[in-house]
Amino acid sequence: MQQVGKSIWDWIARTVLVVLKAVYRVLGRELTQETVSGFLQFVKFGIVGVSNTVISYVLYMVTLFGLKQAGLMPKTDYLMAQGVSFVLSVLWSFYWNQKAVFVLKEGQHRSMWKALVKTYVSYSFTGLFLNTALLVLWVQALHISEFIAPLINLVVSVPVNFLINKFWAFN
């Protein structure tokens, strides 16, 4: 299984490299190893982000359906579902960002607990504060389905979250 993942990543990295070389050639610029490394890191973050989004949405849906079936919190069930999906999906994202995206070089050290706290703080801003405020806007003010609203939030929260993680949480 691990070999399959490595093969897939190798294919993605080769494909990205071919595209980058072509773009830089057209622009008449020299492609440096630093640029390649930075772009591959962004691609990895994107892959983790897509998996995190899927995990978060599935957790949101399962929790929301469960709360609706149980008749618990009928007016705020979507907010509780948001909270559950947030806590569990941030753990997922932290694990994979630590393991695959923001990997330490030999001799470097990072406090796992400090990085985890920073990750929760950064995701709290985008995943709880921003997304919850937007959920209330979409669902209560604009009457958009609580099943669709989290998908609309991605347009705002994903870019903000990348910047916070890149330059603060895993820095």
Side-chain angles (χ1 to χ4, degrees):
M1 183 71 166
Q2 189 175 13
Q3 186 59 33
V4 171
K6 183 168 175 17
S7 297
I8 292 170
W9 173 249
D10 288 344
W11 178 82
I12 291 169
R14 283 192 307 273
T15 303
V16 166
L17 185 58
V18 167
V19 171
L20 274 177
K21 283 181 178 179
V23 168
Y24 271 70
R25 193 174 305 121
V26 167
L27 295 174
R29 299 193 54 191
E30 183 182 338
L31 183 61
T32 65
Q33 183 58 42
E34 185 177 335
T35 301
V36 171
S37 296
F39 198 78
L40 288 175
Q41 183 183 44
F42 177 76
V43 170
K44 286 180 185 179
F45 187 85
I47 292 168
V48 170
V50 168
S51 73
N52 184 50
T53 300
V54 171
I55 294 290
S56 180
Y57 191 67
V58 167
L59 289 167
Y60 175 83
M61 296 293 280
V62 167
T63 304
L64 184 60
F65 279 124
L67 290 170
K68 285 189 177 296
Q69 290 291 5
L72 299 173
M73 302 180 215
K75 292 185 180 179
T76 58
D77 52 3
Y78 65 98
L79 296 174
M80 179 57 75
Q82 175 73 12
V84 169
S85 69
F86 167 77
V87 169
L88 297 176
S89 66
V90 170
L91 280 174
W92 170 271
S93 185
F94 173 77
Y95 175 80
W96 286 108
N97 279 325
Q98 176 89 2
K99 183 174 176 75
V101 179
F102 303 110
V103 180
L104 294 173
K105 295 178 181 152
E106 192 173 323
Q108 290 181 317
H109 175 71
R110 173 188 302 140
S111 167
M112 175 99 73
W113 292 109
K114 187 175 180 182
L116 180 60
V117 168
K118 284 180 165 184
T119 299
Y120 267 103
V121 169
S122 67
Y123 277 86
S124 290
F125 175 71
T126 58
L128 280 181
F129 173 72
L130 184 61
N131 281 340
T132 301
L134 290 173
L135 273 178
V136 170
L137 172 69
W138 306 142
V139 174
Q140 291 181 7
L142 300 176
H143 306 292
I144 293 172
S145 167
E146 63 265 24
F147 296 103
I148 302 299
L151 299 175
I152 298 170
N153 286 352
L154 295 175
V155 175
V156 177
S157 63
V158 170
V160 171
N161 201 16
F162 172 75
L163 293 172
I164 292 171
N165 274 280
K166 169 86 174 158
F167 295 110
W168 183 62
F170 286 95
N171 192 0

